[in-house]
Amino acid sequence: MKFTLYTSEADERPIFITGNFNIWNPKDPRYQLTQIDPNNYYIEIFDEFLPDIVEFKFTKGGWENVELDQYGSITPNKKVLKSDGEVSHRVEKWRYNWGPFKQEFFPIVEIISEEFYIPQLDRHRKVWALLPYDYYVSDKSYPVLYLQDAQNLFNEGSPYGNWEIDKKLSILAEYGRGDVIIIAIEHGSEERIKEYIFDNDNVANGSEGKKYIRFITDTLKPFVDEHYRTKKDRDNTGIGGSSLGALISIYSGFLYPEVYSKLLIFSPSLWVEPNNNFPMMSFRVPFKTKIYLYGGEQEGSKMVKRIQVFENYLKRWEKKNLFDFEFKTNINPEGSHSEFYWSQEFPRAIEWLFYNNTENPVEVTPHQDSIKN
């Protein structure tokens, strides 16, 4: 079967076809289109590789670079019959690093407190809530994800860049997957290392991670559950971060599995625990815990290896029937230890943790107010 494509928006990125014939892999080298000129492409696929009804989309190497319509809105999955033999399609626009971002879907950003009191540490900290764009016109209750290092999550002008989670949440909302409240907690600047180290005085003299974990679990979560429409149960509560923020989130999930069922773990600083001596609580019935693990191959020679060792370590715990883990591990060959790559990964992690997505783009009806010039 031959697929031909005309695209009015030309750039240097290669184009791929993905669909129900390759498990919706958006960057499958077997399905890269051949370029005829800057605007015209084609690919021929052997019939035996295709189902009778072919469902597909075009991408420029990932869902962050997928096709869009002329208004910059989502396109429905294309469907054709294999018996057609040859089909032609046209793509007007493409996403570029998840953009463009639609203002109408941006989350509502509220400052919970400029100086939220941490009784466990006798300190104050700035805390934000990022609410779904329609929070105040709906009566829904929402799952909650607690994230560390708020300074690097969405504020313009962060010294190291930021995850742009406000923009990424707008994309998720556009796809019908934005029903999550994010609670963003500022790190403690010069106190950051001590607060994010659980119990290792060789790294942080006077490590305070135990108290910090108790702050989120015993103080902040009850406050959030009281003041916002949250789903309070463990199945709808997650915690996460990057680097040391990922490390303290691992501890939080292992010490309080009755509270957290979802862990978003980006580039964890596992060098602090080279022997994986994480404390695990033993429960009569194992808790099912979802862990999204991400690391980049350009983060240093040991990052990916440590993630793999960590994953194997947890599988051994699983065999002892102390935990029931579900993993999604994504290693980016180009990824460095930076906010840019964590930003790219954030939507994938949210989809998998909260929507059980496995890369197949959900069928959605574009919102009416997005279908306009």
Side-chain angles (χ1 to χ4, degrees):
M1 186 172 187
K2 185 174 184 179
F3 299 80
T4 61
L5 173 68
Y6 173 84
T7 174
S8 50
E9 197 172 81
D11 58 44
E12 298 300 314
R13 292 175 290 168
I15 296 178
F16 300 82
I17 188 171
T18 180
N20 58 357
F21 49 86
N22 75 334
I23 332 176
W24 293 95
N25 178 348
K27 194 178 182 179
D28 190 333
R30 299 172 299 167
Y31 294 101
Q32 181 176 337
L33 276 65
T34 299
Q35 184 175 8
I36 301 169
D37 59 43
N39 304 101
N40 289 282
Y41 295 76
Y42 76 94
I43 187 171
E44 293 180 303
I45 304 174
F46 287 115
D47 285 350
E48 56 261 38
F49 297 148
L50 298 172
D52 290 337
I53 299 174
V54 184
E55 190 174 346
F56 66 100
K57 263 193 165 93
F58 295 106
T59 84
K60 291 204 172 187
W63 299 117
E64 68 273 27
N65 300 304
V66 75
E67 62 175 78
L68 297 171
D69 69 14
Q70 67 191 78
Y71 306 114
S73 298
I74 298 163
T75 60
N77 295 344
K78 296 173 168 62
K79 296 181 178 75
V80 296
L81 298 174
K82 178 169 67 173
S83 57
D84 290 344
E86 181 172 342
V87 290
S88 297
H89 291 279
R90 181 185 184 103
V91 171
E92 297 292 346
K93 293 180 180 291
W94 301 88
R95 287 210 187 280
Y96 184 78
N97 288 339
W98 297 109
F101 307 102
K102 295 186 180 296
Q103 196 68 41
E104 63 263 35
F105 296 123
F106 268 62
I108 301 162
V109 179
E110 293 186 351
I111 297 174
I112 292 178
S113 173
E114 291 277 359
E115 293 191 333
F116 197 103
Y117 182 56
I118 305 176
Q120 295 82 355
L121 293 166
D122 193 23
R123 278 178 211 137
H124 297 84
R125 193 64 39 79
K126 191 171 183 178
V127 180
W128 284 268
L130 283 79
L131 308 173
Y133 74 99
D134 57 352
Y135 179 87
Y136 286 113
V137 294
S138 82
D139 57 2
K140 292 184 286 189
S141 294
Y142 301 91
V144 183
L145 175 65
Y146 294 84
L147 287 180
Q148 322 310 323
D149 289 316
Q151 292 97 322
N152 302 331
L153 294 180
F154 60 94
N155 283 332
E156 299 297 336
S158 304
Y160 303 107
N162 72 85
W163 293 24
E164 297 185 323
I165 65 169
D166 48 352
K167 294 178 180 176
K168 302 310 188 297
L169 287 167
S170 76
I171 290 288
L172 289 163
E174 194 180 348
Y175 278 89
R177 297 175 181 180
D179 284 350
V180 181
I181 292 174
I182 306 291
I183 303 298
I185 308 127
E186 266 198 346
H187 65 69
S189 299
E190 65 275 5
E191 310 288 350
R192 177 179 183 268
I193 293 178
K194 288 206 290 190
E195 290 180 2
Y196 287 177
I197 299 285
F198 180 74
D199 187 16
N200 189 330
D201 284 347
N202 293 323
V203 177
N205 187 26
S207 46
E208 299 171 332
K210 291 178 184 176
K211 294 177 181 178
Y212 179 77
I213 288 171
R214 290 211 313 272
F215 157 62
I216 296 179
T217 307
D218 298 339
T219 304
L220 183 58
K221 184 181 187 301
F223 179 92
V224 170
D225 288 341
E226 181 182 347
H227 290 84
Y228 294 96
R229 295 194 312 276
T230 64
K231 295 180 177 178
K232 302 172 178 60
D233 60 297
R234 74 175 300 271
D235 287 342
N236 288 287
T237 306
I239 191 166
S242 62
S243 197
L244 284 172
L247 186 71
I248 199 64
S249 298
I250 293 172
Y251 279 107
S252 301
F254 290 175
L255 285 172
Y256 292 96
E258 75 279 18
V259 176
Y260 307 105
S261 70
K262 306 175 195 306
L263 306 183
L264 181 151
I265 308 300
F266 289 176
S267 307
S269 298
L270 294 168
W271 53 269
V272 175
E273 282 294 349
N275 300 316
N276 292 310
N277 291 323
F278 292 100
M280 298 260 193
M281 303 298 287
S282 299
F283 291 86
R284 192 162 298 186
V285 179
F287 282 105
K288 185 172 183 63
T289 300
K290 297 184 74 171
I291 305 179
Y292 192 101
L293 281 167
Y294 165 80
E297 289 186 0
Q298 307 305 313
E299 295 190 52
S301 58
K302 294 183 179 177
M303 173 59 76
V304 172
K305 179 67 175 172
R306 282 189 174 120
I307 286 175
Q308 292 166 342
V309 169
F310 174 64
E311 191 175 349
N312 290 332
Y313 163 82
L314 297 186
K315 286 174 181 172
R316 288 199 296 275
W317 271 90
E318 198 171 27
K319 285 180 181 173
K320 296 179 181 178
N321 292 322
L322 297 175
F323 270 78
D324 178 9
F325 291 116
E326 183 181 356
F327 297 97
K328 170 84 170 175
T329 302
N330 194 17
I331 303 300
N332 184 349
E334 288 126 37
S336 61
H337 197 78
S338 72
E339 276 71 16
F340 173 82
Y341 289 102
W342 301 328
S343 172
Q344 294 293 296
E345 204 63 26
F346 179 73
R348 298 186 184 100
I350 293 293
E351 284 194 313
W352 186 78
L353 287 169
F354 290 93
Y355 292 90
N356 297 313
N357 175 251
T358 54
E359 291 283 25
N360 181 0
V362 68
E363 280 285 16
V364 296
T365 303
H367 294 250
Q368 267 325 108
D369 55 2
S370 293
I371 311 174
K372 61 190 178 186
N373 285 306

